[in-house]
Amino acid sequence: MSDKRIKSTLISVYYKDGLEEILKTLHDLDIKIYSTGGTYNFIKDLGLPAETVESLTTYPSILGGRVKTLHPSVFGGILARRENPEDLKQLDQFKIPEIDLVIVDLYPFEETVRTVDDEKEIIEKIDIGGISLIRAAAKNFSDVLIISESSQYPALLELLKIKNGYTSIEDRRRFAAEAFKTSSYYDTLIFKYFNRKEGVETFRESINSAYHLRYGENPHQKGIFYGDPDSLFDKLHGKEISYNNFLDIDSALSLIDDFNETTFAIIKHNNACGVASRKDSMEAWKDALACDPVSAYGGVIVTNVTIDKAEAAEIDKLFFEIIIAPEFTEPALEILRQKKNRIILKRKTKTDDQFRFRSLLNGVLWQEKDSRTESASDMKPVTKKVPAPGEYDDLVFANKIVKHSKSNAIVLAKNKQLCASGIGQTSRVDALKQAIEKAHTFGFDLRGSVLASDAFFPFSDCVEIAHKEGVTAVVQPGGSVRDKDSIDFCSANGMAMVFTGIRHFKH
């Protein structure tokens, strides 16, 4: 199929930025321009010739601008199949000109939802004519080129100049695919706005930005992150972020957001291997690292405070992949940047995601985000002994960590420092034994420590083992038919136990 020459274009855009050079190029190529309202005025102000859409339709823009291009004289010129004699005959019969290029920039619905609360104003930003033009031109890509958003202006300008106003079927098909991407994204935004209250049970997500990764979870797998990491943090240094890096970053930020006091955490394979909360940030770092300095090697470091020169000098002694903080002093950055591949992320804002979903089988699992974080007031004592104030602090601390640990999970903590955790075990007893062994490996005395479990104890075996190690207080959700066994053992042996009523499975 030979290239087709663009003879006429219809332009209807909301934002005019970047349009001027395209208009001048269209004029130089002797391409006739039809346009609507504000776009027409913009073209005339540039001193360029154009005709109004009203000259095609013989109708003015009506209903406050709601109806401008919705007319057979417009859509006939776009949808007519140039190889179909009957279509061409009807164009001639009704004096409808062929339209070979459509340029549209939709009403800014997404921006309006983000910045405006007035529903009437939001509804008026639902584009009707523009989205219809996009779909019509994309459907007829055999004959028509569609530009569906202003980000495509540079590509259009290059195409016009290189090919002198001609387009190939490959060009038109590529832009048609982009057009349906634009329309599906726009419709998804509108649906999600309405579905905030209506609760229609269907899965709709659409993300335009794609962050290409070196590979997926393993080198033989392709990987892409669909999202906009630049809106969440500034990458100040280092290599490209990998698939596994993104998983660890998500785990790190989810964990640190549950802490208000000065805290450092170290993440390895999506689980915390070091966490400490202190008044002094240097102490928080050193105590977080002391939890498991072996696993910390090659990990992801996250904190909720500024990193200064002294802390950077200490942190720099460890090999790690990524460090995340709300702020870095310039002397700190000078130290941390000495390793060329080390990724340094300055956090800008917290994510506002409320839902989680993952693909599996032939569908998607959807759920609300686990945003519950229990305080001491949420912990109901169920034993004779009630936790002391310091034990409550540690129980809250440990419960935050176990919430973000892979199930089955047990966390041992003391003085707001992670002593050890047992994670991803098929048995809760095995998780506890793993945590105890790790704590001993790194010299922790578990006498006076606390234990947090992500789910209930089906038997009393875990609290019996914990008691032998000197654990004095336990937090768990409760809910087992044999809760009484664990409660009775703790009460008989001077241990405190509290129930939260909230399970924190993480798979």
Side-chain angles (χ1 to χ4, degrees):
M1 188 180 292
S2 62
D3 288 358
K4 290 181 178 286
R5 180 177 179 272
I6 300 171
K7 301 182 290 294
S8 63
T9 180
L10 171 62
I11 305 175
S12 179
V13 299
Y14 189 85
Y15 290 120
K16 315 302 186 291
D17 297 344
L19 191 60
E20 182 175 345
E21 191 174 357
I22 289 174
L23 291 167
K24 290 179 178 178
T25 302
L26 292 171
H27 175 65
D28 292 341
L29 292 170
D30 196 29
I31 296 172
K32 188 169 187 176
I33 298 174
Y34 296 97
S35 191
T36 60
T39 308
Y40 174 79
N41 293 333
F42 178 79
I43 296 170
K44 299 302 289 184
D45 288 344
L46 293 174
L48 298 174
E51 293 192 21
T52 64
V53 167
E54 289 84 351
S55 69
L56 288 178
T57 66
T58 69
Y59 278 88
S61 172
I62 62 174
L63 307 181
R66 282 189 165 197
V67 180
K68 289 179 287 197
T69 59
L70 296 169
H71 193 280
S73 293
V74 174
F75 283 85
I78 296 171
L79 286 166
R81 293 158 291 190
R82 309 316 196 244
E83 78 287 358
N84 186 312
E86 187 61 30
D87 283 6
L88 297 181
K89 180 180 177 181
Q90 290 184 18
L91 290 187
D92 183 63
Q93 176 184 355
F94 295 107
K95 297 182 174 54
I96 299 173
E98 295 177 7
I99 296 174
D100 310 304
L101 168 65
V102 175
I103 302 176
V104 175
D105 184 46
L106 298 170
Y107 289 167
F109 180 81
E110 183 175 22
E111 179 183 331
T112 305
V113 170
R114 189 169 55 245
T115 58
V116 172
D117 292 327
D118 180 27
E119 181 158 281
K120 287 185 178 180
E121 185 174 349
I122 291 171
I123 296 304
E124 287 307 310
K125 289 299 185 291
I126 297 176
D127 204 311
I128 303 300
I131 205 76
S132 301
L133 290 170
I134 287 174
R135 292 179 64 85
K139 176 177 180 176
N140 200 25
F141 69 90
S142 292
D143 300 298
V144 180
L145 179 69
I146 173 63
I147 300 301
S148 55
E149 53 187 69
S150 58
S151 63
Q152 298 165 10
Y153 290 174
L156 171 62
L157 188 62
E158 182 181 16
L159 183 65
L160 291 171
K161 289 182 175 181
I162 290 175
K163 294 193 172 182
N164 262 345
Y166 284 81
T167 65
S168 67
I169 185 63
E170 291 80 14
D171 297 327
R172 298 191 295 276
R173 180 184 285 274
R174 174 166 56 89
F175 279 101
E178 291 286 343
F180 285 118
K181 180 196 79 172
T182 298
S183 64
S184 63
Y185 179 73
Y186 197 76
D187 285 342
T188 299
L189 291 174
I190 296 169
F191 168 74
K192 290 178 70 176
Y193 171 76
F194 279 94
N195 206 39
R196 293 181 306 173
K197 298 178 181 179
E198 303 307 322
V200 177
E201 292 184 349
T202 187
F203 183 79
R204 292 287 186 277
E205 285 294 332
S206 184
I207 302 172
N208 275 343
S209 50
Y211 187 101
H212 287 268
L213 309 174
R214 300 194 302 274
Y215 49 81
E217 197 163 7
N218 299 292
H220 63 278
Q221 296 170 268
K222 184 179 179 180
I224 300 174
F225 173 73
Y226 291 101
D228 182 17
D230 292 339
S231 67
L232 301 178
F233 38 72
D234 291 323
K235 184 167 172 282
L236 305 180
H237 183 74
K239 62 184 180 181
E240 292 182 12
I241 300 173
S242 71
Y243 182 101
N244 293 323
N245 289 156
F246 270 112
L247 292 175
D248 280 333
I249 290 168
D250 181 65
S251 297
L253 297 181
S254 295
L255 174 63
I256 203 68
D257 283 347
D258 276 347
F259 290 88
N260 295 319
E261 56 191 314
T262 298
T263 301
F264 266 88
I266 306 169
I267 305 297
K268 192 72 172 287
H269 293 294
N270 314 145
N271 292 286
C273 62
V275 187
S277 295
R278 297 287 183 266
K279 291 182 179 179
D280 178 76
S281 55
M282 180 69 82
E283 288 183 14
W285 161 247
K286 289 182 177 179
D287 287 346
L289 179 61
C291 300
D292 184 351
V294 174
S295 295
Y297 183 87
V300 172
I301 300 168
V302 65
T303 185
N304 52 9
V305 295
T306 299
I307 294 179
D308 63 21
K309 180 179 180 179
E311 290 150 1
E314 281 295 319
I315 293 169
D316 190 56
K317 296 175 182 178
L318 175 72
F319 169 74
F320 60 91
E321 288 268 335
I322 303 172
I323 186 165
I324 311 168
E327 193 66 68
F328 299 85
T329 65
E330 194 54 43
L333 288 174
E334 290 177 9
I335 294 171
L336 296 172
R337 282 175 173 150
Q338 291 176 12
K339 303 290 192 301
K340 69 175 183 177
N341 288 330
R342 179 182 286 164
I343 298 170
I344 304 173
L345 301 177
K346 177 184 173 183
R347 196 172 184 192
K348 292 195 287 194
T349 184
K350 293 183 179 181
T351 58
D352 59 356
D353 58 316
Q354 301 173 13
F355 311 110
R356 293 282 181 175
F357 42 86
R358 65 168 72 173
S359 60
L360 51 82
L361 300 176
N362 63 347
V364 175
L365 274 176
W366 175 98
Q367 67 172 347
E368 294 178 335
K369 182 179 179 180
D370 183 1
S371 57
R372 289 289 297 268
T373 303
E374 291 74 47
S375 64
S377 62
D378 298 313
M379 297 179 176
K380 175 187 175 184
V382 293
T383 50
K384 292 179 181 178
K385 181 185 175 184
V386 175
E391 287 177 320
Y392 266 123
D393 290 342
D394 281 345
L395 290 169
V396 170
F397 175 88
N399 199 51
K400 290 177 180 179
I401 299 171
V402 83
K403 167 188 168 183
H404 296 281
S405 302
K406 188 173 177 64
S407 301
N408 287 316
I410 294 287
V411 164
L412 299 172
K414 185 177 179 180
N415 299 325
K416 295 185 181 178
Q417 179 186 26
L418 173 64
C419 298
S421 59
I423 51 177
Q425 299 301 303
T426 53
S427 160
R428 198 157 298 281
V429 171
D430 287 345
L432 176 55
K433 289 179 177 179
Q434 180 191 54
I436 291 169
E437 181 180 355
K438 290 194 73 171
H440 289 166
T441 298
F442 297 109
F444 283 97
D445 181 357
L446 294 177
R447 289 175 295 180
S449 64
V450 305
L451 179 155
S453 176
D454 62 339
F456 63 64
F457 297 121
F459 306 103
S460 63
D461 44 10
C462 281
V463 293
E464 292 173 16
I465 296 169
H467 173 64
K468 291 178 182 177
E469 295 296 327
V471 173
T472 57
V474 176
V475 57
Q476 60 140 318
S480 169
V481 294
R482 300 185 65 171
D483 276 342
K484 189 174 184 299
D485 293 352
S486 296
I487 294 170
D488 288 348
F489 180 87
C490 288
S491 290
N493 290 276
M495 296 174 69
M497 179 181 284
V498 296
F499 284 2
T500 63
I502 302 295
R503 189 182 73 184
H504 288 296
F505 267 167
K506 183 184 178 188
H507 295 106

Coordinates of all heavy atoms in Angstrom, one line a residue, residues 449-498:
S449 N 12.8 -9.7 76.2 CA 12.3 -9.3 74.9 C 10.8 -9.6 74.7 O 10.2 -10.2 75.6 CB 13.1 -10.1 73.8 OG 12.8 -11.5 73.9
V450 N 10.3 -9.1 73.6 CA 8.9 -9.4 73.3 C 8.8 -10.1 72.0 O 9.7 -10.1 71.2 CB 8.0 -8.1 73.2 CG1 8.2 -7.3 74.5 CG2 8.4 -7.3 72.0
L451 N 7.6 -10.8 71.7 CA 7.4 -11.5 70.5 C 6.1 -11.0 69.9 O 5.1 -10.8 70.5 CB 7.3 -13.0 70.9 CG 7.0 -14.0 69.8 CD1 7.5 -15.4 70.2 CD2 5.5 -14.1 69.4
A452 N 6.2 -10.9 68.5 CA 5.0 -10.5 67.7 C 4.8 -11.6 66.7 O 5.7 -12.1 66.1 CB 5.2 -9.2 67.1
S453 N 3.5 -12.0 66.6 CA 3.1 -13.1 65.6 C 2.1 -12.5 64.6 O 1.2 -11.7 65.1 CB 2.6 -14.3 66.3 OG 2.1 -15.2 65.3
D454 N 2.3 -12.7 63.3 CA 1.3 -12.2 62.3 C 0.0 -12.8 62.4 O -1.0 -12.3 61.9 CB 1.9 -12.2 60.9 CG 2.2 -13.7 60.4 OD1 2.3 -14.6 61.3 OD2 2.3 -13.9 59.2
A455 N -0.1 -14.0 63.0 CA -1.4 -14.7 63.1 C -1.5 -15.4 64.5 O -0.5 -15.5 65.2 CB -1.6 -15.7 62.0
F456 N -2.6 -16.0 64.7 CA -2.8 -16.7 66.1 C -1.9 -17.9 66.2 O -1.4 -18.5 65.3 CB -4.3 -17.0 66.3 CG -4.9 -18.0 65.4 CD1 -4.5 -19.3 65.4 CD2 -6.0 -17.6 64.6 CE1 -5.1 -20.2 64.5 CE2 -6.6 -18.5 63.8 CZ -6.2 -19.8 63.7
F457 N -1.8 -18.3 67.5 CA -1.1 -19.6 67.8 C -2.2 -20.7 67.9 O -3.0 -20.7 68.8 CB -0.4 -19.5 69.2 CG 0.7 -18.5 69.2 CD1 0.7 -17.4 70.1 CD2 1.8 -18.5 68.3 CE1 1.7 -16.5 70.1 CE2 2.8 -17.6 68.3 CZ 2.7 -16.5 69.2
P458 N -2.1 -21.7 67.1 CA -3.0 -22.8 67.2 C -2.8 -23.7 68.4 O -3.7 -24.4 68.8 CB -2.8 -23.6 65.9 CG -1.4 -23.3 65.5 CD -1.1 -21.9 65.9
F459 N -1.6 -23.7 68.9 CA -1.2 -24.4 70.1 C -0.4 -23.6 71.0 O 0.0 -22.5 70.7 CB -0.5 -25.7 69.7 CG -1.2 -26.6 68.7 CD1 -0.8 -26.6 67.4 CD2 -2.3 -27.4 69.1 CE1 -1.4 -27.3 66.4 CE2 -2.9 -28.1 68.1 CZ -2.5 -28.1 66.8
S460 N -0.1 -24.1 72.2 CA 0.7 -23.3 73.2 C 2.2 -23.5 73.0 O 3.1 -23.0 73.7 CB 0.4 -23.7 74.6 OG 0.7 -25.1 74.8
D461 N 2.7 -24.3 71.9 CA 4.1 -24.6 71.8 C 5.0 -23.4 71.6 O 6.1 -23.3 72.1 CB 4.3 -25.6 70.6 CG 3.5 -25.3 69.4 OD1 2.9 -24.2 69.3 OD2 3.4 -26.1 68.4
C462 N 4.5 -22.4 70.8 CA 5.3 -21.2 70.6 C 5.6 -20.4 71.9 O 6.7 -20.0 72.1 CB 4.6 -20.3 69.6 SG 4.9 -20.9 67.9
V463 N 4.5 -20.2 72.7 CA 4.8 -19.4 73.9 C 5.6 -20.2 74.9 O 6.4 -19.7 75.7 CB 3.4 -19.0 74.6 CG1 2.7 -18.0 73.7 CG2 2.5 -20.2 74.9
E464 N 5.6 -21.6 74.8 CA 6.4 -22.4 75.7 C 7.9 -22.2 75.3 O 8.8 -22.1 76.2 CB 6.0 -23.9 75.6 CG 4.6 -24.1 76.2 CD 4.1 -25.6 75.9 OE1 5.0 -26.4 75.5 OE2 2.9 -25.8 76.1
I465 N 8.1 -22.3 74.0 CA 9.5 -22.1 73.5 C 10.0 -20.7 73.8 O 11.1 -20.5 74.3 CB 9.6 -22.3 72.0 CG1 9.3 -23.8 71.7 CG2 11.0 -22.0 71.5 CD1 9.1 -24.1 70.2
A466 N 9.1 -19.7 73.6 CA 9.5 -18.3 73.9 C 9.8 -18.1 75.4 O 10.8 -17.3 75.7 CB 8.4 -17.4 73.4
H467 N 9.1 -18.7 76.2 CA 9.3 -18.6 77.7 C 10.7 -19.1 78.1 O 11.4 -18.4 78.9 CB 8.2 -19.3 78.4 CG 8.5 -19.4 79.9 ND1 8.5 -18.3 80.7 CD2 8.8 -20.4 80.7 CE1 8.7 -18.6 82.0 NE2 8.9 -19.9 82.0
K468 N 11.1 -20.2 77.5 CA 12.4 -20.7 77.8 C 13.6 -19.8 77.4 O 14.6 -19.8 78.0 CB 12.6 -22.1 77.0 CG 11.7 -23.2 77.6 CD 11.9 -24.4 76.8 CE 11.0 -25.6 77.3 NZ 11.2 -26.8 76.5
E469 N 13.3 -18.9 76.4 CA 14.3 -17.9 75.9 C 14.2 -16.6 76.7 O 15.1 -15.7 76.4 CB 14.1 -17.7 74.4 CG 14.4 -18.9 73.6 CD 15.8 -19.4 73.6 OE1 16.7 -18.5 73.8 OE2 16.0 -20.6 73.5
G470 N 13.3 -16.5 77.6 CA 13.2 -15.3 78.4 C 12.3 -14.2 77.8 O 12.3 -13.1 78.3
V471 N 11.5 -14.5 76.8 CA 10.5 -13.6 76.3 C 9.4 -13.3 77.4 O 8.9 -14.2 78.0 CB 9.8 -14.1 75.0 CG1 8.6 -13.2 74.6 CG2 10.8 -14.3 73.9
T472 N 9.1 -12.0 77.6 CA 8.2 -11.7 78.7 C 6.8 -11.2 78.2 O 5.9 -11.1 79.1 CB 8.9 -10.6 79.6 OG1 9.2 -9.4 78.7 CG2 10.1 -11.1 80.2
A473 N 6.7 -10.8 77.0 CA 5.4 -10.3 76.5 C 5.2 -10.8 75.0 O 6.1 -10.8 74.3 CB 5.3 -8.8 76.6
V474 N 3.9 -11.0 74.7 CA 3.6 -11.5 73.4 C 2.4 -10.7 72.8 O 1.4 -10.4 73.6 CB 3.2 -13.0 73.5 CG1 2.8 -13.5 72.1 CG2 4.4 -13.8 74.0
V475 N 2.5 -10.4 71.5 CA 1.3 -9.8 70.9 C 0.9 -10.7 69.7 O 1.8 -11.1 68.9 CB 1.6 -8.3 70.4 CG1 2.8 -8.3 69.5 CG2 0.4 -7.8 69.7
Q476 N -0.3 -10.9 69.6 CA -0.9 -11.8 68.5 C -2.3 -11.4 68.3 O -2.9 -10.7 69.1 CB -0.7 -13.2 68.8 CG -1.5 -13.7 70.1 CD -2.2 -15.0 69.9 OE1 -2.8 -15.3 68.9 NE2 -2.1 -15.8 71.0
P477 N -2.9 -11.7 67.1 CA -4.3 -11.3 66.9 C -5.3 -12.1 67.7 O -6.4 -11.6 68.0 CB -4.5 -11.6 65.4 CG -3.4 -12.6 65.0 CD -2.3 -12.3 65.9
G478 N -5.0 -13.3 68.1 CA -6.0 -14.2 68.8 C -6.9 -14.7 67.7 O -6.9 -14.4 66.6
G479 N -7.8 -15.6 68.2 CA -8.9 -16.1 67.3 C -8.8 -17.6 67.1 O -9.6 -18.2 66.4
S480 N -7.8 -18.3 67.8 CA -7.8 -19.7 67.7 C -8.8 -20.3 68.6 O -9.1 -19.8 69.7 CB -6.3 -20.2 68.1 OG -6.3 -21.6 68.2
V481 N -9.3 -21.5 68.2 CA -10.2 -22.2 69.1 C -9.5 -22.7 70.4 O -10.1 -23.1 71.4 CB -10.8 -23.4 68.4 CG1 -11.8 -23.0 67.3 CG2 -9.8 -24.4 67.9
R482 N -8.1 -22.7 70.3 CA -7.3 -23.1 71.5 C -6.5 -21.9 72.0 O -5.4 -22.1 72.6 CB -6.4 -24.2 71.1 CG -7.2 -25.5 70.5 CD -6.3 -26.6 70.3 NE -5.6 -27.2 71.5 CZ -5.0 -28.3 71.5 NH1 -4.8 -29.0 70.4 NH2 -4.4 -28.7 72.6
D483 N -7.0 -20.7 71.9 CA -6.4 -19.5 72.5 C -6.1 -19.8 74.0 O -5.1 -19.3 74.5 CB -7.3 -18.3 72.4 CG -7.1 -17.6 71.0 OD1 -6.0 -17.9 70.3 OD2 -8.0 -16.8 70.6
K484 N -7.0 -20.4 74.7 CA -6.9 -20.6 76.1 C -5.7 -21.3 76.5 O -5.1 -21.0 77.6 CB -8.2 -21.3 76.6 CG -8.3 -21.4 78.2 CD -9.6 -22.1 78.6 CE -9.8 -22.0 80.1 NZ -8.7 -22.8 80.8
D485 N -5.2 -22.3 75.7 CA -4.0 -23.0 76.0 C -2.8 -22.0 76.1 O -2.0 -22.1 77.1 CB -3.7 -24.0 74.9 CG -4.7 -25.1 74.9 OD1 -5.6 -25.2 75.8 OD2 -4.6 -25.9 73.9
S486 N -2.6 -21.1 75.2 CA -1.5 -20.2 75.2 C -1.7 -19.2 76.3 O -0.8 -18.8 77.0 CB -1.5 -19.4 73.9 OG -1.1 -20.3 72.8
I487 N -3.0 -18.7 76.5 CA -3.2 -17.8 77.6 C -2.9 -18.4 79.0 O -2.2 -17.7 79.8 CB -4.7 -17.3 77.6 CG1 -5.0 -16.5 76.3 CG2 -5.1 -16.5 78.8 CD1 -6.5 -16.2 76.1
D488 N -3.4 -19.6 79.2 CA -3.1 -20.2 80.5 C -1.6 -20.4 80.7 O -1.1 -20.3 81.9 CB -3.8 -21.6 80.5 CG -5.4 -21.4 80.7 OD1 -5.8 -20.3 80.9 OD2 -6.1 -22.4 80.5
F489 N -0.9 -20.8 79.7 CA 0.6 -21.0 79.9 C 1.2 -19.7 80.3 O 2.0 -19.7 81.2 CB 1.2 -21.6 78.7 CG 2.7 -21.8 78.8 CD1 3.2 -23.0 79.4 CD2 3.6 -20.8 78.5 CE1 4.5 -23.2 79.6 CE2 5.0 -21.0 78.7 CZ 5.4 -22.2 79.2
C490 N 0.9 -18.7 79.6 CA 1.5 -17.4 79.9 C 1.2 -16.9 81.3 O 2.0 -16.4 82.0 CB 1.0 -16.3 78.8 SG 1.7 -16.5 77.2
S491 N -0.1 -17.0 81.6 CA -0.5 -16.6 83.0 C 0.2 -17.4 84.1 O 0.6 -16.9 85.1 CB -2.0 -16.7 83.1 OG -2.7 -15.8 82.3
A492 N 0.4 -18.7 83.8 CA 1.0 -19.6 84.8 C 2.5 -19.3 84.9 O 3.1 -19.7 85.9 CB 0.8 -21.0 84.5
N493 N 3.1 -18.7 83.9 CA 4.5 -18.5 83.9 C 5.0 -17.0 83.9 O 6.1 -16.7 83.5 CB 5.1 -19.2 82.7 CG 5.0 -20.8 82.8 OD1 5.9 -21.4 83.5 ND2 4.0 -21.4 82.3
G494 N 4.1 -16.2 84.3 CA 4.5 -14.8 84.4 C 4.7 -14.0 83.1 O 5.4 -13.0 83.1
M495 N 4.1 -14.5 82.0 CA 4.2 -13.8 80.8 C 3.0 -13.0 80.5 O 1.9 -13.4 80.9 CB 4.5 -14.8 79.6 CG 5.8 -15.6 79.7 SD 5.8 -16.8 78.4 CE 6.0 -15.8 76.9
A496 N 3.2 -11.8 79.8 CA 2.0 -11.0 79.4 C 1.7 -11.3 78.0 O 2.6 -11.5 77.1 CB 2.3 -9.5 79.6
M497 N 0.4 -11.4 77.7 CA 0.0 -11.6 76.3 C -1.2 -10.6 76.0 O -2.1 -10.4 76.8 CB -0.5 -13.0 76.0 CG -1.0 -13.2 74.6 SD -1.5 -14.9 74.3 CE 0.1 -15.8 74.3
V498 N -1.1 -10.0 74.8 CA -2.2 -9.1 74.4 C -2.7 -9.6 73.0 O -2.0 -10.1 72.2 CB -1.7 -7.6 74.3 CG1 -1.3 -7.1 75.6 CG2 -0.6 -7.5 73.3

